[in-house]
Amino acid sequence: MLEQSLYCVCIFSQAQDDVIVDVYERLPVPFGLVRFGVAPDHPEVKNVINTFTQTAQHERCFFHGNVNVGVDVTVKELKKAYHAVVLSYGAEANRCMGVPGEDLAGVFSARDFVGWYNGLPSNQKLNPDLNCETVVILGQGNVALDVARILLSPLDMLKKTDITQHALEALTASRVRRVLIVGRRGPLQIAGTIKEVREMINLPDTTADMLPADFKGISETLKGRNVAVQNQDAKAVPTGQMEDLECGMVISSIGYKSLPIDPCVPFEHRGAIIPNDMGRVLDTAGLYCSGWVKRGPTGVIATTMNDSFDTARVLLKDMKEGTLDLSVNKPGAQEITALLQERGNTHRNTQKKKNADCTLFSRKKNTLLTNSQKFKTF
Amino acid sequence: MSLSAAARRLAGWSVVLRSSSRTLPPLSRECVQRRDITSSSVVQPLRSENKVTVNFINRDGEKITVKASPGESLLDVVVDQELDFDGFGACEGTLACSTCHVIFKEEVYKQLGPISDEEMDMLDLAYGLTDTSRLGCQICLTKSLDGVTVRLPEAVADIRQSDGSA
């Protein structure tokens, strides 16, 4: 995801005068989850786009959109063309519950639902049927809370956001009045953060109902402290009790999952991350990773930011200490561009479209680079 | 607001333009809602006798001293003075992140204004949180804070710690 790459770029540009960074992105537009994953009513979180844009404007940083690494070009080809490759492609899939009925109509992943109201092209035709009174969301992280909030927010609030038009129309006609946010463990273990919980509690025209039984023993555990105890290790234990909840839609929000990008990149399927040591991909020289694909798909901007800084510092250290072989000149984008253009026929239709964001970038042409196009879309 | 800033707003862009010689303030900062202004003073005109000295200890332990105006938040100071703190102020002062986290000495911390729930919610997620931590975007300078020293927290997983064990 671009934001993770751009934090790495931040560090490089400051430390080395001759490092060139090429950022390859599958979508034609940059920013990844910041654009497609942040809830439309949280525009302030998207302010970080300004920081990224600034970084991307650096004279030695170049953006290449519409390039699907692993399909259009292999990691092996990238490694041949560059001294180092950093994988920061995030987590695009969702974790499956592995329970019967997961594929029924009316069961969606939160990732798809969020993509639908945020304008991700592949989710445009999701058409969730909101003609039901109750929706059940499985999972209690920030994504689950975002989905609940979008489903129940007063329309006047949603109209002021950049939520997609089709989602706004569907929500205007929506009959959903009750959203159950279901988790396996207790209140101290919810993955969501306080800000989002507070938002749900304070949401106009709604009531937050919590089950008193869930809170038994909590005050003793907190022992009068104002700071909530991180009780992450508590495990859920089956009680054998069953409860039927009637609903018209189920949204599964139990976490994102990274996917392997290329056969030559090691991948640990159990944790769905690239096995690494502080960002250095194991058993592979010249390959690094940062962000969710490195440590798992959790955390806020500060988490990802610090993690990306760490990977960048490790890479710089390797450059300085000679762990990374810099003795041979590498062709970089020249070689990859040639390869992509050779193979590019299927991408021609989308390549020529002037995307608004690419227009934004190209208008800010750095005066030092009059001959080359700073931002390419293939 | 300058003409170029107005033009950018009309175009619907919210982008920081940085020329090589001067920094323009981020556009969205001009319309940020400050939730909890700790100082009741109005922003003073820029005269040298009205300036407040602020010392920052950066992540490498270096001290950087700057002069700023009362009414400016610590985030404003970092941005306006172009202080090179990686990732500081990602959300531009809208209480949507914790990257402007700064640490005060205890005696100064006690003098600061009350902390809102919204600030606490974000501070809870900050790395290296201490009992005298605040978010820099919520602390506005006053004359009584003249000479204050604030420390930036170290990032988590400091690479120097991992050298021996890796």
Side-chain angles (χ1 to χ4, degrees):
Chain A
M1 285 188 291
L2 200 78
E3 68 264 32
Q4 296 164 4
S5 321
L6 286 174
Y7 274 129
C8 286
V9 174
C10 225
I11 298 280
F12 288 136
S13 57
Q14 288 158 20
Q16 294 281 128
D17 284 336
D18 53 356
V19 171
I20 291 181
V21 183
D22 289 314
V23 181
Y24 291 91
E25 161 66 46
R26 185 177 56 192
L27 293 173
V29 298
F31 307 134
L33 264 196
V34 173
R35 179 183 297 273
F36 293 115
V38 174
D41 58 347
H42 285 169
E44 60 280 356
V45 177
K46 298 188 193 182
N47 283 344
V48 73
I49 283 180
N50 296 337
T51 308
F52 296 143
T53 304
Q54 204 179 304
T55 306
Q57 292 284 312
H58 195 283
E59 60 191 3
R60 284 182 277 111
C61 177
F62 301 86
F63 173 76
H64 304 263
N66 245 349
V67 178
N68 194 346
V69 173
V71 173
D72 301 333
V73 61
T74 64
V75 170
K76 200 168 163 192
E77 285 162 343
L78 287 173
K79 282 180 69 185
K80 189 164 161 278
Y82 290 91
H83 293 104
V85 174
V86 180
L87 298 169
S88 3
Y89 61 84
E92 62 176 280
N94 48 277
R95 283 179 61 203
C96 290
M97 293 180 285
V99 299
E102 199 157 3
D103 297 323
L104 289 173
V107 179
F108 299 99
S109 71
R111 187 203 162 272
D112 285 341
F113 197 80
V114 170
W116 170 71
Y117 63 63
N118 266 348
L120 193 59
S122 51
N123 295 132
Q124 205 179 356
K125 305 252 186 293
L126 196 73
N127 285 331
D129 184 1
L130 301 177
N131 197 21
C132 57
E133 207 182 272
T134 305
V135 171
V136 166
I137 301 176
L138 301 171
Q140 292 173 333
N142 281 342
V143 178
L145 294 172
D146 279 352
V147 170
R149 197 177 65 250
I150 296 295
L151 281 170
L152 294 175
S153 279
L155 290 169
D156 287 337
M157 280 172 64
L158 289 178
K159 280 181 187 151
K160 295 180 193 152
T161 71
D162 62 352
I163 193 169
T164 56
Q165 187 59 29
H166 56 249
L168 188 59
E169 284 165 8
L171 289 163
T172 306
S174 158
R175 272 189 50 225
V176 174
R177 292 292 172 270
R178 198 162 79 117
V179 175
L180 302 173
I181 308 172
V182 178
R184 291 181 305 179
R185 298 186 293 173
L188 288 182
Q189 289 84 37
I190 71 160
T193 51
I194 302 174
K195 175 181 184 238
E196 278 72 11
V197 173
R198 196 188 295 282
E199 259 180 307
M200 281 311 296
I201 293 171
N202 292 337
L203 194 62
D205 303 335
T206 61
T207 328
D209 268 337
M210 297 188 222
L211 301 174
D214 287 344
F215 289 82
K216 242 201 280 191
I218 295 279
S219 40
E220 288 79 31
T221 311
L222 290 176
K223 293 194 206 301
R225 284 173 64 102
N226 289 328
V227 177
V229 170
Q230 289 291 328
N231 211 356
Q232 296 286 342
D233 293 335
K235 276 183 144 58
V237 172
T239 61
Q241 290 173 331
M242 304 281 270
E243 191 183 338
D244 284 334
L245 295 171
E246 195 167 313
C247 66
M249 186 188 301
V250 173
I251 298 181
S252 162
S253 182
I254 58 169
Y256 294 126
K257 191 170 73 167
S258 294
L259 296 175
I261 192 173
D262 191 290
C264 83
V265 178
F267 194 79
E268 185 203 304
H269 288 274
R270 197 162 160 265
I273 56 167
I274 295 177
N276 69 92
D277 170 34
M278 292 186 355
R280 293 180 187 99
V281 177
L282 293 184
D283 307 321
T284 322
L287 199 56
Y288 299 79
C289 57
S290 80
W292 283 3
V293 81
K294 169 185 167 194
R295 37 181 299 286
T298 59
V300 294
I301 285 178
T303 328
T304 307
M305 178 184 89
N306 280 310
D307 178 81
S308 296
F309 287 166
D310 286 343
T311 294
R313 287 193 195 105
V314 160
L315 179 33
L316 285 171
K317 184 168 183 276
D318 288 353
M319 283 167 67
K320 197 166 153 200
E321 292 178 355
T323 316
L324 200 59
D325 181 11
L326 301 172
S327 56
V328 180
N329 270 341
K330 296 273 191 167
Q334 221 178 339
E335 183 168 299
I336 302 298
T337 305
L339 269 176
L340 288 166
Q341 280 171 348
E342 241 174 84
R343 297 166 186 172
N345 292 339
T346 53
H347 295 288
R348 287 284 177 208
N349 293 338
T350 51
Q351 284 164 27
K352 299 283 187 192
K353 256 190 232 169
K354 274 269 178 183
N355 181 283
D357 291 275
C358 293
T359 309
L360 176 73
F361 284 125
S362 64
R363 279 187 208 171
K364 310 236 182 300
K365 275 198 177 59
N366 188 305
T367 53
L368 295 175
L369 298 163
T370 49
N371 292 334
S372 60
Q373 186 185 345
K374 196 163 164 52
F375 293 100
K376 293 188 191 64
T377 304
F378 289 91
Chain B
M1 195 188 295
S2 72
L3 185 63
S4 57
R8 285 199 303 280
R9 279 190 86 156
L10 285 172
W13 294 350
S14 168
V15 174
V16 176
L17 288 183
R18 283 184 182 246
S19 67
S20 53
S21 56
R22 194 167 66 89
T23 304
L24 298 171
L27 204 54
S28 52
R29 219 161 39 77
E30 290 165 44
C31 43
V32 150
Q33 293 158 14
R34 296 237 167 85
R35 312 272 178 126
D36 181 34
I37 306 238
T38 57
S39 144
S40 57
S41 65
V42 171
V43 176
Q44 305 291 331
L46 287 174
R47 284 199 288 263
S48 54
E49 59 266 24
N50 261 332
K51 294 290 204 177
V52 167
T53 304
V54 183
N55 304 295
F56 291 92
I57 312 283
N58 72 10
R59 292 180 185 120
D60 296 322
E62 293 160 344
K63 188 175 184 183
I64 297 149
T65 300
V66 296
K67 285 205 184 294
S69 304
E72 282 191 59
S73 74
L74 288 175
L75 174 58
D76 292 335
V77 175
V78 170
V79 170
D80 293 344
Q81 303 276 342
E82 294 183 300
L83 300 181
D84 190 19
F85 303 150
D86 290 330
F88 196 92
C91 78
E92 299 175 0
T94 53
L95 284 176
C97 75
S98 60
T99 58
C100 69
H101 168 207
V102 289
I103 300 165
F104 290 87
K105 294 207 177 85
E106 188 162 351
E107 55 273 15
V108 179
Y109 176 79
K110 287 185 179 144
Q111 291 171 32
L112 301 173
I115 184 170
S116 65
D117 282 340
E118 286 79 10
E119 183 184 343
M120 268 202 284
D121 287 351
M122 287 296 115
L123 208 46
D124 273 349
L125 305 173
Y127 284 103
L129 188 63
T130 69
D131 290 334
T132 55
S133 288
R134 290 294 296 266
L135 293 182
C137 65
Q138 299 300 297
I139 304 299
C140 287
L141 293 172
T142 59
K143 287 303 267 175
S144 61
L145 283 173
D146 190 14
V148 70
T149 300
V150 296
R151 186 167 62 83
L152 261 61
E154 285 163 22
V156 80
D158 189 304
I159 189 172
R160 287 165 289 182
Q161 292 162 5
S162 316
D163 267 359
S165 54

